Amino acid sequence: MKIDGKEYRTIWFENNVVKIIDQTKLPHQFIIKNLKTIKDTINAIKTMEVRGAPLIGATAAYGIVLAIIENNDQSFLKQSAKDLINSRPTAINLKWAVDRMLKKLSGVSSDKNLDIAINEANEICEEDINFCENIGLNGLKIIEKIYNKKKDAVNILTHCNAGWLATINWGTATSPIYHANKKGIPVHIWVDETRPRNQGANLTSYELNEEGIKNTIIADNTGGILMQRGEVDLCIVGTDRTLSNGDVCNKIGTYLKALAAHDNKVPFYVALPSSTIDWNIKDYKEIPIEERNSEELSHMEGLDENGNLKKIQVYPQKSKAMNLAFDVTPAKYVTALITEKGVCDASSSGLKKLFNK
Ligand code: MRU
């Protein structure tokens, strides 16, 4: 997708270095950063220089490449894999990507493993782009149907950033939006700000602006009244882990949007590539929910009057804060799942049929 009219991917490998767009500095500064070691990679994932389930999976895959470059030794590789998986706990894509890399490398001699690792990490990225593009084409049909009936701009509410910045290209929740826009269907996006890290305001609105798509940022608590007023035609969000029964774990606040959508009969869709499905966990209570530093709540970052990035404290110094990063939306509140293979019910039968499980 475009930034300043130029096409970018969110991650790429060049001269034995992994290049990323530092998302902690967006939308104010566009900085391409080099990751050279496994330590750099883990730090980028933990500090959310890269974030979004598919992108952290791809970053972890390149982390394995960097580990081989750094120290081509089995025990170092094993430890690096472990550290990568543990760098953020909720998105299943991390484990999925690391396991896939290790499987590909199993039994490969140390003089051949680097090329194989680079190819596999590149392949994970190509596959993600392909999957996200197909999610878009499948989701486009849903938007098109609403537009044909309404004959006016389709209002879509989204939460957090499940955009191209969260993947390699296209995004998951945003891919149907980009496809609709390319087809000339008028769309307008309600962008949940997504406190505390403001991925909606800082990243989703930014990328929609760069693609010339109309959008309005709203405080996270505004979606409910907009739905009551009939100003939301559908919601599309992403997911960090989808259980085989259709329960969906996504950015904190997704659940409340799904409840409001259910109460107002607004369709609530979740877009995902199959790399986000956890076929093993059966009960959502077993999903590890990341709890991040409370400073992400009590402090805010933005431009000061001189245009410099500045962090300020906004909470009373003595107050405690709690920062859970994800919640779970039970399948019963999800209208359907939009995947690379098609649209299905958020249920075990829906997912099994689509993925032959
Ligand atoms: O904490 P983040 O910014 O990594 O959370 C991202 C989300 O919750 C996204 O909705 C999810 O990863 C899907 S990305 C296509």
Side-chain angles (χ1 to χ4, degrees):
M1 308 304 286
K2 288 192 211 99
I3 292 178
D4 271 344
K6 191 174 168 215
E7 286 285 339
Y8 281 94
R9 287 184 178 186
T10 51
I11 190 165
W12 63 100
F13 188 69
E14 207 177 279
N15 301 328
N16 281 1
V17 163
V18 178
K19 304 264 186 185
I20 57 159
I21 299 168
D22 180 355
Q23 301 194 20
T24 61
K25 297 289 184 291
L26 291 175
H28 306 298
Q29 296 172 351
F30 180 77
I31 294 171
I32 292 173
K33 210 172 162 178
N34 292 337
L35 309 180
K36 294 182 179 163
T37 62
I38 190 73
K39 210 169 151 199
D40 289 348
T41 315
I42 287 166
N43 182 57
I45 296 172
K46 280 189 172 164
T47 60
M48 294 174 66
E49 289 170 349
V50 285
R51 27 73 48 207
L55 180 57
I56 55 178
T59 309
Y62 282 121
I64 295 290
V65 171
L66 293 178
I68 294 172
I69 294 172
E70 207 175 332
N71 182 354
N72 199 348
D73 162 88
Q74 273 307 311
S75 63
F76 184 73
L77 188 64
K78 250 192 190 163
Q79 189 58 47
S80 301
K82 217 168 160 188
D83 294 345
L84 282 165
I85 290 173
N86 291 333
S87 57
R88 282 193 80 192
T90 304
I92 189 71
N93 300 61
L94 263 177
K95 183 169 159 36
W96 169 86
V98 171
D99 285 351
R100 178 168 158 170
M101 293 294 289
L102 294 184
K103 196 170 165 201
K104 195 77 191 178
L105 291 168
S106 133
V108 173
S109 59
S110 59
D111 57 326
K112 297 210 175 74
N113 60 359
L114 179 58
D115 284 347
I116 289 178
I118 294 171
N119 283 342
E120 192 62 6
N122 288 342
E123 184 52 37
I124 285 175
C125 291
E126 292 308 320
E127 193 180 280
D128 188 67
I129 293 171
N130 187 8
F131 283 2
C132 285
E133 183 162 14
N134 283 330
I135 288 169
L137 293 168
N138 293 327
L140 167 65
K141 294 176 202 149
I142 295 167
I143 299 177
E144 213 165 15
K145 207 165 158 192
I146 294 174
Y147 175 64
N148 289 338
K149 206 164 154 198
K150 191 181 175 194
K151 304 255 180 305
D152 201 356
V154 180
N155 289 306
I156 303 169
L157 183 140
T158 191
H159 191 68
C160 192
N161 174 264
W164 77 268
L165 287 165
T167 62
I168 315 302
N169 211 341
W170 289 108
T172 58
T174 55
S175 187
I177 295 167
Y178 290 131
H179 278 90
N181 182 54
K182 280 190 199 303
K183 218 176 165 186
I185 298 172
V187 286
H188 165 259
I189 318 304
W190 294 114
V191 177
D192 278 354
E193 179 190 29
T194 321
R195 283 278 291 147
R197 289 188 67 102
N198 297 337
Q199 291 97 323
N202 289 348
L203 305 175
T204 304
S205 181
Y206 168 77
E207 61 165 85
L208 292 171
N209 292 343
E210 295 295 314
E211 287 289 322
I213 295 178
K214 278 191 194 157
N215 67 92
T216 308
I217 299 169
I218 49 175
D220 292 326
N221 300 326
T222 309
I225 189 168
L226 291 177
M227 291 186 212
Q228 285 175 325
R229 288 178 173 180
E231 292 183 54
V232 181
D233 296 306
L234 73 161
C235 303
I236 315 180
V237 300
T239 163
D240 283 76
R241 198 185 285 236
T242 307
L243 299 194
S244 58
N245 66 0
D247 287 353
V248 167
C249 182
N250 191 48
K251 181 52 54 192
I252 194 86
T254 303
Y255 173 44
L256 293 178
K257 285 305 131 67
L259 287 177
H262 182 76
D263 191 43
N264 290 284
K265 300 187 176 45
V266 171
F268 190 90
Y269 292 96
V270 180
L272 61 129
S274 47
S275 54
T276 311
I277 305 172
D278 183 338
W279 296 102
N280 296 316
I281 284 187
K282 300 280 175 249
D283 183 339
Y284 78 84
K285 292 189 195 88
E286 290 169 35
I287 300 175
I289 300 289
E290 180 178 17
E291 184 171 349
R292 295 186 61 86
N293 195 320
S294 63
E295 207 185 283
E296 291 182 350
L297 277 159
S298 59
H299 290 64
M300 286 185 89
E301 198 171 63
L303 292 182
D304 68 11
E305 61 279 9
N306 300 316
N308 298 318
L309 268 184
K310 198 169 178 183
K311 200 183 231 187
I312 55 162
Q313 184 181 327
V314 288
Y315 284 4
Q317 211 146 20
K318 283 189 185 162
S319 297
K320 266 196 187 168
M322 189 213 206
N323 186 12
L324 291 178
F326 297 94
D327 61 24
V328 180
T329 301
K332 63 181 173 184
Y333 298 121
V334 178
T335 307
L337 302 172
I338 308 172
T339 78
E340 75 269 14
K341 292 222 172 180
V343 176
C344 72
D345 278 352
S347 65
S348 27
S349 59
L351 278 167
K352 270 186 194 156
K353 216 154 94 192
L354 219 49
F355 292 97
N356 289 327
K357 284 278 176 179

